[in-house]
């Protein structure tokens, strides 16, 4: 039985606990420096004992802890430094005061970040979710030895380190708000797309690393580039000798007669190609060819696909040969031109914002409203399909005990300390206990928020020699 | 407790205390000291009875978005760039709207502290370990398990201690078997990725572990006095002799020597005497040698089984037994 507790995370008392609780972080954040001024030695030791015991095994009774306490503190000597004769930094030996607790299974579980507090680690052990070397151990006090492999069922770990799963009611409440906000955004985007686009661009960056990550941007840019490529191949496929010829002739006829046509009339071609297009026109107009009046794509195709021996006269065959030659040069240059413009339009990978396109608003669709009563009756009836969320908020898979899709619990980053004495594999929720934590010059492997001078006094309290 | 002394009592940073020391003051609530706390405004001048700490907490957490996240609090989301952002108690937890978040790693609490390495403001001796990149783990596994390299060799090459190398191989085997059985769900992979990106990455030559560490011999933790003449030279080897220890160089040589684990264990056969089974005997007797005291109960010896604090151990099935 763990010790009974009341109001562990009192903000007024401000003790720091071995827990990933939000209030605990607040207490750690605002913790004043420990002050010994005006205190007798015994008062100092008492204060140090109270502060350290609040973090180290507060669930153990004092008599149990006194049984476990060992006055011999473990440290290591670094041979290379002593051989070189360099100055070795101080070894924080007092921080080993509570090292005896760290070999207990419950502590190792919390240090390996498989549970969000030591009390939760105890619950996992007692419910038979923890194995040591493949055997279910139901004793939180089980002492680990170096080389022991322990594991927790992944569901429990995801529950402990994940965000809290909302109830159906909460999820509906959140989704109603989200849908209302989305529909408002869609309607304003539809009414004034340019302004909304600009506003989106100037929006401050979110602190959430999961929201618009670099990968998302890269994905968007990739999609954009792909669509450009698709357009490019489409226009390239449409470009052929007959289409260009028909284009030239239609431009010429719209310019009106062979006298008023000049190289500059062919505006759809670039400067060097205009001459060639003009030459094609000249060839045909000099020969007074019938194509000058009938220049649909079918007619030009017939002209181009006709073989040289099928033409009525030798001159016409010769003319067709010249025209075809110039046209194939034009096609080649046009293809290159299309490719270059597409390359120019493409975005490099590091770009975070896409260029404005007026049809972005028309692609947005309103989301239908949620029917609360129907969803409360049967959760599977909920249809939520927002760009950032599929399924009910946090309940994509309601059978799981944690927020789905999984998200880390709030303020996890502040509590995540990778232990030096345990090797952890998060993808299988297994860990190997390498050794008992030790102290080495300038480092102590026992994780503790309290400074060495506090541990020193706590050690004195328990070693009973300083009394 | 002679080895430790009370040298590091911090000088109180509140200078406003009177000269007269008051010993038996009532315990003071844990008000913040390092910064000036900001308080959330009262919602109603008379009806809102929230306390100092409640108001401070509200301000400290910052606003919530519709998904219930404290989206402007810089500690709410875990870092995902292999650079931890542990707390810096300077009173600024909320990043204001429209402002770029500049991570202020001022050294609040202790001068020696680096907030991307030391999780707690007052304890610079506590560090987070760095996570070994999965590519390096793959390499180690390949070298040891597939190419048959010696663990000690690999440990030396990458600056990782032998037990850790062995643990990496053990865990990689578990991971491989889980992958084969398709046990790593999408959610678990997501969790694993998030955790992996939260810790600093191990870079072998820079952060290499010290492989010459040995447990400090207890004899050296105490002072030893010796009378020698002034002209007599006295070095570390002489000190080792006084403490009755091996010199450091010898221990280091032992450590660095490649140890070949002998699989040919001394084929120690247990002395076994099998009794003769004569006609009519129901059982065959086997006799093995054992030491008295190690098996059974010694006649007349005191036993702890009726004491209140009996010593406990665990048997092979994991259940607790009294020793």
């Amino acid at each position: 039985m763990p010790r009974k507790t009341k109001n562990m995370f009192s903000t007024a008392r401000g003790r720091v606990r071995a827990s990933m609780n939000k209030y605990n972080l607040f207490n750690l954040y605002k913790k004043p420096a420990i002050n010994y001024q005006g205190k007798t030695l015994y008062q100092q030791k008492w204060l140090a004992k109270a502060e350290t015991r609040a973090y180290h095994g507060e669930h153990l009774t004092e008599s149990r802890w006194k049984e476990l306490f060992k006055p011999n503190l473990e440290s290591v000597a670094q041979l290379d430094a002593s051989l070189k004769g360099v100055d070795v930094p101080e070894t924080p030996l007092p921080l080993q005061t509570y090292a005896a607790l760290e070999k207990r299974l419950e502590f190792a579980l919390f240090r390996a970040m498989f549970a969000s507090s030591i009390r939760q680690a105890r619950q996992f052990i007692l419910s038979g979710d923890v194995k040591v070397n493949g055997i279910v151990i139901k004793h939180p006090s089980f002492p680990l030895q170096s080389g022991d492999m322990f594991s927790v069922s992944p569901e429990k770990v995801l529950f402990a380190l994940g965000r809290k799963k909302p109830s159906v009611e909460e999820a509906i409440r959140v989704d109603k708000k989200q849908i209302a906000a989305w529909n408002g955004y869609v309607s304003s985007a539809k009414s004034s797309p340019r302004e909304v686009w600009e506003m989106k661009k100037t929006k401050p960056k979110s602190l959430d690393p999961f929201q618009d990550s670099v990968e998302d941007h890269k994905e968007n840019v990739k999609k954009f580039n792909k669509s450009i490529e698709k357009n490019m191949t489409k226009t390239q496929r449409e470009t052929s000798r007959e289409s260009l010829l028909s284009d030239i002739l239609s431009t010429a006829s719209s310019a009106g007669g062979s006298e008023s046509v000049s190289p500059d009339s062919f505006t759809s071609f670039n400067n060097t190609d205009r001459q060639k297009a003009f030459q094609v026109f000249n060839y045909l107009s000099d020969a007074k060819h019938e194509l000058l009046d009938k220049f649909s794509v079918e007619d030009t195709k017939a002209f181009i696909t006709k073989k040289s021996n099928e033409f009525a006269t030798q001159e016409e065959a010769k003319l067709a040969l010249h025209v075809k030659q110039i046209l194939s040069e034009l096609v080649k240059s046009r293809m290159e031109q299309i490719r270059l413009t597409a390359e120019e339009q493409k975005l490099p990978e590091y770009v975070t914002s896409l260029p404005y396109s007026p049809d972005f608003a028309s692609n947005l669709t309103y989301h239908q409203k949620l029917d609360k009563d129907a969803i409360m009756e049967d959760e599977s009836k909920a249809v939520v399909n927002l760009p950032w969320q599929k399924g009910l908020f946090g309940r994509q898979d309601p059978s799981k005990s944690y927020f789905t899709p999984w998200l880390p619990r709030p303020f996890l980053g502040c509590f995540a300390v990778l232990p030096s004495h345990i090797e952890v594999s998060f993808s299988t929720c297994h860990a190997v206990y390498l050794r008992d934590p030790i102290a080495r010059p300038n480092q102590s492997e026992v994780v503790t928020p309290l400074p060495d001078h506090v541990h020193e006094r706590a050690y004195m309290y328990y070693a009973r020699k300083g009394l | 407790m002679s080895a430790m002394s009370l040298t590091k009592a911090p000088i109180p940073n509140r200078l406003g205390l009177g000269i007269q020391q008051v010993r038996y003051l009532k315990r003071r609530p844990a008000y913040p000291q390092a910064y000036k706390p900001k308080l959330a405004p009262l919602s109603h001048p008379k009806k809102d009875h929230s306390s100092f700490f409640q108001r401070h907490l509200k301000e400290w957490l910052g606003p919530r978005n519709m998904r219930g996240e404290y989206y402007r609090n810089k500690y709410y989301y875990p870092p995902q760039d292999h650079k931890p952002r542990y707390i810096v108690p300077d009173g600024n937890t909320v990043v204001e709207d429209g402002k770029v978040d500049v991570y202020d790693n001022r050294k609040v609490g202790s001068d020696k502290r680096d907030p991307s390495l030391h999780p707690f403001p007052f304890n610079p001796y506590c560090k987070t370990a760095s996570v070994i990149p999965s590519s390096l783990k793959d390499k180690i596994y390949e070298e040891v398990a597939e190419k048959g390299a010696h663990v000690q060799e690999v440990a030396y090459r990458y600056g990782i201690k032998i037990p850790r190398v062995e643990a990496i191989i053990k865990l990689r085997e578990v991971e491989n078997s889980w992958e084969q059985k398709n046990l790593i769900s999408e959610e678990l992979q997501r969790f694993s990725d998030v955790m992996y990106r939260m810790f600093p990455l191990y870079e072998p030559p820079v952060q290499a572990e010290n492989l010459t560490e040995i447990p400090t011999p207890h004899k050296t933790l105490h002072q030893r006095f010796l009378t020698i003449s002034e002209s007599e030279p006295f070095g570390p080897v002489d000190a080792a002799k006084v403490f009755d220890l091996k010199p450091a160089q010898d221990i280091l040589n032992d450590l660095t020597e490649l140890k070949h684990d002998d699989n040919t264990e001394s084929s120690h056969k247990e002395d076994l005497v099998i009794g003769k089974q004569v006609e009519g005997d129901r059982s065959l007797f086997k006799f093995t040698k054992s030491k008295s005291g190690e098996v059974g109960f010694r006649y007349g010896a005191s036993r702890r089984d009726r004491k209140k604090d009996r010593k406990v151990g665990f048997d092979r099935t994991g259940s607790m037994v009294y020793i």
Side-chain angles (χ1 to χ4, degrees), chain A residues 7 32 36 75 98 106 116 162 178 258 304 324 331 381:
Chain A
N7 202 2
Y36 305 117
S75 65
Y98 292 95
E106 51 192 353
S116 67
Q178 291 198 108
S258 55
I304 280 170
K324 275 199 248 178
V331 166
K381 278 191 186 138

Coordinates of all heavy atoms in Angstrom, one line a residue, chain A residues 7 32 36 75 98 106 116 162 178 258 304 324 331 381:
Chain A
N7 N -3.7 16.3 -1.5 CA -3.3 17.5 -2.2 C -1.7 17.5 -2.4 O -1.0 18.4 -2.0 CB -3.7 18.7 -1.3 CG -3.7 20.0 -2.2 OD1 -3.5 19.9 -3.4 ND2 -4.0 21.1 -1.6
P32 N 11.1 28.7 -5.0 CA 12.1 29.6 -4.5 C 13.4 28.8 -4.1 O 13.3 27.6 -3.7 CB 11.5 30.3 -3.3 CG 10.4 29.4 -2.9 CD 10.0 28.5 -4.0
Y36 N 18.6 28.6 4.1 CA 18.9 28.1 5.4 C 19.1 29.2 6.5 O 19.5 28.9 7.6 CB 20.2 27.2 5.4 CG 20.1 26.1 4.4 CD1 21.0 26.1 3.3 CD2 19.2 25.1 4.5 CE1 21.0 25.1 2.4 CE2 19.2 24.1 3.6 CZ 20.0 24.1 2.5 OH 20.0 23.1 1.6
S75 N 30.2 5.9 -6.4 CA 30.7 6.9 -7.4 C 31.7 6.1 -8.3 O 32.1 5.0 -8.0 CB 31.3 8.1 -6.8 OG 32.5 7.7 -6.1
Y98 N 19.7 9.1 -2.6 CA 18.5 8.4 -2.9 C 18.7 7.3 -4.0 O 17.7 6.9 -4.6 CB 17.3 9.3 -3.2 CG 16.9 10.1 -2.0 CD1 17.4 11.4 -1.8 CD2 16.0 9.6 -1.1 CE1 17.0 12.1 -0.7 CE2 15.6 10.3 0.0 CZ 16.1 11.6 0.2 OH 15.7 12.3 1.3
E106 N 9.4 0.3 -10.0 CA 8.5 1.4 -10.2 C 9.3 2.6 -10.6 O 8.9 3.4 -11.5 CB 7.7 1.7 -8.9 CG 8.6 1.8 -7.7 CD 7.9 1.8 -6.4 OE1 6.7 1.8 -6.3 OE2 8.7 1.8 -5.4
S116 N 3.7 8.2 -16.2 CA 3.8 9.7 -16.0 C 4.1 10.0 -14.6 O 4.3 11.2 -14.3 CB 2.5 10.3 -16.5 OG 1.5 10.0 -15.7
G162 N 0.4 10.0 -23.4 CA -0.5 10.7 -24.4 C -1.4 11.7 -23.8 O -1.5 11.8 -22.6
Q178 N -15.0 24.0 -33.7 CA -14.1 23.9 -34.8 C -14.8 24.0 -36.2 O -14.4 24.7 -37.1 CB -13.3 22.6 -34.8 CG -12.4 22.5 -33.7 CD -11.3 21.4 -33.9 OE1 -10.2 21.7 -34.2 NE2 -11.7 20.2 -33.9
S258 N -2.3 39.0 -97.2 CA -0.8 38.7 -97.2 C 0.0 40.0 -97.1 O 1.1 40.0 -96.7 CB -0.5 37.9 -98.4 OG -0.9 38.6 -99.6
I304 N -0.2 17.8 -93.7 CA 1.1 17.4 -93.2 C 1.3 15.9 -93.3 O 2.4 15.4 -93.6 CB 1.3 17.9 -91.8 CG1 1.7 19.4 -91.8 CG2 2.4 17.1 -91.0 CD1 1.7 20.1 -90.5
K324 N 7.1 21.6 -93.7 CA 7.2 20.6 -92.7 C 8.6 20.8 -91.9 O 8.6 20.7 -90.7 CB 7.1 19.2 -93.2 CG 5.7 18.7 -93.4 CD 5.6 17.3 -93.5 CE 5.2 16.9 -94.9 NZ 5.1 15.4 -95.1
V331 N 8.3 23.4 -83.6 CA 7.7 22.5 -82.6 C 8.8 22.3 -81.5 O 8.5 22.4 -80.3 CB 7.2 21.2 -83.2 CG1 7.0 20.1 -82.1 CG2 6.0 21.4 -84.0
K381 N -21.7 7.4 -35.8 CA -22.5 8.2 -36.8 C -21.9 9.6 -37.0 O -22.2 10.3 -38.0 CB -23.9 8.4 -36.3 CG -24.8 7.2 -36.6 CD -26.2 7.5 -36.4 CE -27.0 6.2 -36.6 NZ -28.1 6.1 -35.6

